Amino acid sequence: MKILGIDPGSHITGYGVIEKKKDQWIPLTYGCLRTNSNSPLSNRLLEIYQGLSSIIAESKPNVLSIENVFFSKNANSALKLGHSRGVLILAAIQAGLSLYEYTPLQIKQAVTSYGQASKEQVQAMIMKLLRLKEKPPLDASDALAVALCHAHTNTNLQGMRASA
Amino acid sequence: MKILGIDPGSHITGYGVIEKKKDQWIPLTYGCLRTNSNSPLSNRLLEIYQGLSSIIAESKPNVLSIENVFFSKNANSALKLGHSRGVLILAAIQAGLSLYEYTPLQIKQAVTSYGQASKEQVQAMIMKLLRLKEKPPLDASDALAVALCHAHTNTNLQGMRASA
């Protein structure tokens, strides 16, 4: 199974695809999709959609794991994030991926065992878990964390089913 | 020129396409795209995207006119609306439409000359302006209002250019 993790943003979207080889999850590709904040909204959405569609076509993941965000304030930021999130999910579902959503707490606990971990702590743990030699950009390490969160949760669910 | 107006929502999206024949704008098609609120987010986004893509393929508009929303609170509603808005704009830009955004005030003033008009007042004015014999659904009349707002604004801009 290959898992695509995404950390969506209105201007920078982190992505990472991981695959299990024997007992070890390895990163196939990761990075950031960046759009020009001066470009019109429609162009930016098309760029994000086409960018993710290309990544999916190349790395062929089975699952999209994405952060389930909750906002308590700043509704205009939420609307902008919603635009990006909408076209990212669309690109994945059109390519036949299944969608899983996890809260920030679940993601941080899954990779650091600590729900309040900083982005830098997540990055350090991702480097260790995926045996990366170089620091990934913070948005990419967040995306890899979402992918690993699904990998661990899914493994646990299979373990639970097997032992039921 | 044909103008597609959209009133986006997380569950119901109103749409309407208008075209100018001689000096009169006439509606080519209008209605609502509805999604099942019990369906997963990914399915709903795919339905909205495919629904609007079909309408565009059939009615071949040149322009998308869409409400530019501002939220002061309820960020989670804004995020949900953003998802829908993102895939609707994507469908339009992929089909080569130009995108124009108008505030609720601009839209209401353009069709009723009154920025605080109710949905029912907009509906009544839309029936008069487009010579409709039957009441359109409220979401569809809002969408037709967004389309007419662009029609009027665009005419004014052309008038200004011509007289400049």
Side-chain angles (χ1 to χ4, degrees):
Chain A
M1 186 173 64
K2 293 181 194 173
I3 305 171
L4 166 63
I6 289 184
D7 177 39
S10 48
H11 293 300
I12 302 177
T13 290
Y15 66 88
V17 181
I18 58 172
E19 184 179 24
K20 200 168 192 175
K21 289 275 171 82
K22 296 183 183 169
D23 281 344
Q24 171 66 33
W25 285 96
I26 57 158
L28 290 184
T29 180
Y30 60 85
C32 298
L33 295 168
R34 291 169 198 277
T35 59
N36 185 335
S37 55
N38 295 324
S39 294
L41 170 64
S42 51
N43 292 19
R44 280 186 277 128
L45 293 181
L46 189 61
E47 272 179 47
I48 294 172
Y49 171 84
Q50 289 176 336
L52 191 70
S53 296
S54 298
I55 291 159
I56 291 174
E58 282 167 25
S59 56
K60 298 186 175 51
N62 315 92
V63 163
L64 168 63
S65 181
I66 191 166
E67 193 175 276
N68 192 353
V69 277
F70 296 97
F71 283 85
S72 57
K73 50 185 178 177
N74 204 342
N76 283 316
S77 300
L79 181 74
K80 285 179 189 166
L81 180 63
H83 290 152
S84 302
R85 218 169 172 268
V87 302
L88 291 164
I89 292 173
L90 180 74
I93 201 82
Q94 284 182 317
L97 278 69
S98 312
L99 173 68
Y100 292 85
E101 293 181 287
Y102 297 96
T103 64
L105 186 71
Q106 286 175 306
I107 296 162
K108 288 177 178 179
Q109 280 185 335
V111 296
T112 68
S113 308
Y114 173 51
Q116 303 304 316
S118 68
K119 274 179 171 274
E120 288 74 15
Q121 286 172 316
V122 169
Q123 185 188 50
M125 206 57 200
I126 284 297
M127 288 183 69
K128 195 172 166 188
L129 290 169
L130 295 178
R131 300 179 188 174
L132 300 178
K133 285 175 186 156
E134 291 185 2
K135 274 189 187 178
L138 286 173
D139 294 294
S141 58
D142 275 351
L144 290 166
V146 188
L148 265 181
C149 176
H150 179 70
H152 292 171
T153 309
N154 203 42
T155 307
N156 290 344
L157 288 173
Q158 286 175 347
M160 280 166 66
R161 264 189 226 121
S163 64
Chain B
M1 186 175 63
K2 293 181 193 173
I3 305 170
L4 165 63
I6 288 183
D7 177 38
S10 48
H11 293 300
I12 302 178
T13 290
Y15 67 88
V17 181
I18 60 172
E19 184 178 24
K20 200 167 193 177
K21 288 277 172 82
K22 295 183 184 171
D23 280 345
Q24 171 65 32
W25 286 95
I26 57 158
L28 291 184
T29 181
Y30 59 86
C32 298
L33 296 168
R34 290 168 197 277
T35 58
N36 186 336
S37 54
N38 295 322
S39 293
L41 170 64
S42 50
N43 293 19
R44 280 186 278 127
L45 293 182
L46 190 60
E47 272 179 47
I48 294 171
Y49 172 82
Q50 289 176 336
L52 192 70
S53 295
S54 298
I55 291 158
I56 291 173
E58 282 166 26
S59 55
K60 300 186 173 50
N62 316 92
V63 163
L64 167 63
S65 180
I66 192 166
E67 194 175 276
N68 193 353
V69 278
F70 296 96
F71 283 85
S72 57
K73 50 186 178 179
N74 205 341
N76 283 315
S77 299
L79 181 73
K80 286 179 189 167
L81 180 63
H83 290 151
S84 302
R85 218 168 170 271
V87 301
L88 291 164
I89 291 173
L90 180 73
I93 202 82
Q94 284 182 318
L97 279 68
S98 311
L99 172 69
Y100 292 85
E101 294 181 287
Y102 297 97
T103 65
L105 186 71
Q106 287 175 305
I107 296 162
K108 288 177 179 179
Q109 280 186 333
V111 296
T112 69
S113 308
Y114 173 51
Q116 302 304 315
S118 67
K119 275 178 169 276
E120 288 73 16
Q121 287 172 315
V122 169
Q123 184 188 51
M125 207 56 200
I126 285 296
M127 288 183 68
K128 196 172 163 187
L129 291 169
L130 295 177
R131 300 179 189 174
L132 299 178
K133 286 177 184 155
E134 291 185 3
K135 273 189 187 178
L138 287 172
D139 293 295
S141 59
D142 275 351
L144 289 166
V146 188
L148 266 180
C149 175
H150 179 70
H152 292 172
T153 308
N154 203 42
T155 306
N156 290 344
L157 287 174
Q158 285 176 345
M160 280 165 66
R161 268 190 222 122
S163 65

